[in-house]
């Protein structure tokens, strides 16, 4: 076992932290009917009995409900953070108090401690991985290939992680099956659109104390996350500008009524810039040189490489904390460019950030939980070969049905004749 200590050994007042973390978790649980249903099933049937689950996630109250659900299903769980600034230490401490959970997640760690915590999770020799960003999967393949034969499979939560996994799969380097949870409708249509849109804008507004109304807001990327940010910003009376590299998405943004232009042009116009691409070097030196004094720069992608902060630091003659969570970079001509949350995932890394709304994450984590169940149910049948797999549609529908029932929403079903018609090819005009 790793010598890296769990969260409880980092804190001065562990009991107080655990109590506060538990309070946050209880609030989240009240608003997560999907996870409540899944948790009841897992407690009764123990489908994860004897398994060890390694997790690298944003460790906060909603995630904690997923972690405890997996533990209640019979698994031993080791968890750490997937972003140095997204962990809530009190929630991490509350998880670590569970007899079947070890939490290594701690907020504000440097790169070395961040990866030491991932190594500590791997030292538990997981049979299943649950990841957000793919750092855990990458570390296992690169540094611990001897563990791969004992791993049933994994699940990946986010866009960036799925992109990395698909690249790994195309190279023939992914050696166990992983579900692309991010790509399933119950994730991308709600978590990516409503979750990212609402939580990113709320975090920026609370951190800066600035209004959206009348602002020129530049949204980099018009995938599901970018669509959500653009829609929510427009709903708060901002003027939205979209930048894109994919022509069909650019056309979609144009036909939805947004201004579409290259970042080089948008840089001269924007008041707030929010990147959602999952790629690197989206806002770089040539863009900084054109920006107005006082602009706000933030990132809603997974890693802190979308805004080139090294180039910005080289341009700056001074850097100081303008507000908690906001670093001002003062340029030689006196302009100040303000970066929120160190360019990290703004809806989780800003000081006031709480991540996606509880109801949204209830859906995403419900999918995660049933994917873990599916991997184990199908393990002996070898249904899933190494590689990236779409989440089976019946699992996604299962989560949607639980949510609709909890909301008291009824809906129609196909009749036999309608089902027959949809499955046939010989009914012409």
């Amino acid at each position: 076992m790793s010598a890296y200590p769990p969260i409880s050994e980092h804190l001065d007042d562990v009991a107080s932290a655990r109590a506060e973390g538990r309070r946050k978790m209880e609030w989240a649980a009240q608003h997560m009917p999907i996870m409540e249903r899944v948790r009841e099933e897992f407690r009764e049937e123990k489908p994860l009995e004897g398994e060890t689950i390694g997790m690298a996630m944003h460790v906060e109250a909603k995630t904690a409900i997923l972690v405890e659900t997996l533990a209640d299903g019979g698994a031993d769980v080791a968890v750490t953070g997937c972003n140095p600034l997204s962990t809530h230490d009190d929630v991490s401490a509350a998880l670590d108090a569970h007899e079947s959970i070890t939490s290594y997640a701690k907020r504000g760690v440097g790169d070395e401690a961040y990866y030491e915590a991932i190594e500590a999770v791997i030292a538990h020799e997981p049979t299943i991985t649950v990841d957000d960003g793919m750092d855990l999967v990458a570390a296992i393949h690169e540094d611990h290939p001897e563990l791969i034969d004992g791993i049933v499979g994994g699940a990946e939560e986010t866009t960036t992680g799925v992109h990395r996994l698909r690249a790994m799969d195309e190279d023939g380097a992914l050696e166990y099956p992983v579900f692309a949870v991010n790509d399933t409708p119950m994730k991308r249509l709600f978590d990516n659109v409503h979750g990212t849109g609402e939580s990113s804008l709320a975090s920026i507004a609370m951190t800066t104390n600035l209004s959206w109304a009348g602002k020129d807001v530049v949204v980099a990327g018009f995938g599901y996350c970018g669509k959500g940010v653009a829609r929510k910003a427009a709903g708060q009376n901002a003027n939205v500008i979209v930048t894109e590299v994919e022509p069909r998405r650019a056309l979609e943004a144009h036909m939805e009524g947004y201004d579409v232009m290259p970042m080089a042009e948008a840089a001269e116009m924007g008041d707030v810039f929010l990147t959602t691409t999952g790629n690197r070097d989206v806002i770089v030196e040539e863009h900084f040189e054109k920006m107005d004094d006082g602009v706000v720069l933030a990132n809603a992608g997974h890693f802190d490489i979308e805004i080139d902060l090294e180039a910005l630091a080289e341009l700056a003659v001074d850097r100081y904390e303008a507000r908690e969570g906001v670093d001002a970079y003062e340029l030689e001509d006196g302009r100040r460019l303000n970066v929120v949350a160190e360019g990290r995932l703004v809806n989780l890394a800003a000081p006031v950030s709480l991540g996606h709304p509880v109801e949204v994450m209830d859906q995403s984590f419900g999918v995660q939980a049933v994917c873990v169940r599916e991997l184990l149910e199908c393990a002996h049948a070898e249904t899933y070969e190494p590689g990236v797999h779409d989440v089976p549609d019946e699992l996604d529908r299962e989560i949607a049905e639980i949510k609709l029932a909890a909301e008291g929403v009824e809906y129609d079903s196909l009749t036999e004749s309608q089902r027959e018609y949809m499955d046939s090819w010989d009914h012409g005009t």
Side-chain angles (χ1 to χ4, degrees), residues 52 195 242 292 297 335 358:
T52 300
V242 172
D292 287 337
L297 303 167
R335 288 178 298 127
V358 178

Side-chain angles (χ1 to χ4, degrees), residues 128-403:
I128 295 171
T129 60
V130 179
D131 225 338
D132 191 314
M134 209 205 84
D135 280 350
L136 185 59
V137 173
I140 288 171
H141 280 74
E142 291 172 3
D143 302 322
H144 303 277
E146 72 281 0
L147 298 180
I148 289 174
D149 285 346
I151 296 177
V152 175
E156 169 56 51
E157 171 77 8
T158 198
T159 306
T160 297
V162 170
H163 283 169
R164 295 177 73 193
L165 282 168
R166 291 196 186 282
M168 193 176 180
D169 194 7
E170 288 173 6
D171 287 344
L174 181 58
E175 297 189 34
Y176 62 81
V178 181
F179 280 126
V181 173
N182 178 78
D183 292 356
T184 198
M186 283 297 287
K187 165 64 164 68
R188 66 187 181 211
L189 295 178
F190 304 98
D191 185 310
N192 294 12
V193 175
H194 296 285
T196 301
E198 292 180 19
S199 63
S200 297
L201 297 182
S203 293
I204 294 170
M206 289 188 293
T207 303
T208 63
N209 196 31
L210 298 175
S211 171
W212 293 105
K215 293 282 194 306
D216 291 313
V217 177
V218 179
V219 180
F222 203 66
Y224 285 99
C225 292
K227 290 174 187 176
V229 170
R231 183 185 303 173
K232 304 297 182 178
Q236 296 186 64
N237 300 320
N239 306 308
V240 177
I241 300 166
V242 172
T243 71
E244 249 297 346
V245 297
E246 211 289 326
R248 291 160 295 188
R249 288 181 177 174
L251 180 59
E252 183 181 11
H254 169 69
M255 295 193 70
E256 289 195 11
Y258 303 118
D259 292 326
V260 179
M261 63 186 70
M263 182 61 77
E265 294 180 26
E268 300 178 359
M269 302 174 61
D271 298 308
V272 181
F273 295 78
L274 190 55
T275 56
T276 69
T277 70
N279 208 335
R280 65 176 303 126
D281 301 331
V282 178
I283 301 178
V284 296
E285 182 175 350
E286 67 168 299
H287 307 134
F288 301 139
E289 292 172 343
K290 299 178 179 180
M291 291 178 178
D292 287 337
D293 178 38
V295 302
V296 173
L297 303 167
N299 168 45
H302 189 80
F303 294 116
D304 60 340
I305 57 174
E306 304 208 17
I307 303 169
D308 188 352
L309 295 181
E310 291 184 6
L312 182 55
E314 290 179 4
L315 286 175
V317 295
D318 190 19
R319 174 185 172 183
Y320 58 92
E321 186 178 63
R323 287 176 59 87
E324 185 181 9
V326 181
D327 291 326
Y329 290 75
E330 185 173 340
L331 307 187
E332 191 171 8
D333 60 8
R335 288 178 298 127
R336 293 152 298 178
L337 311 187
N338 300 295
V339 178
V340 182
E342 302 178 14
R344 297 189 183 276
L345 191 55
V346 70
N347 64 322
L348 280 156
V352 295
S353 295
L354 296 173
H356 290 356
V358 178
E359 300 94 333
V360 169
M361 293 313 301
D362 186 32
Q363 298 177 181
S364 297
F365 289 152
V367 177
Q368 287 273 28
V370 297
C371 281
V372 171
R373 183 190 67 194
E374 173 76 4
L375 285 168
L376 289 171
E377 287 179 348
C378 298
H380 299 299
E382 298 184 351
T383 304
Y384 300 104
E385 297 292 326
V388 179
H389 295 267
D390 292 332
V391 175
D393 191 60
E394 61 268 21
L395 298 185
D396 207 51
R397 290 176 63 90
E398 175 185 345
I399 299 305
E401 289 166 357
I402 294 172
K403 179 68 171 182

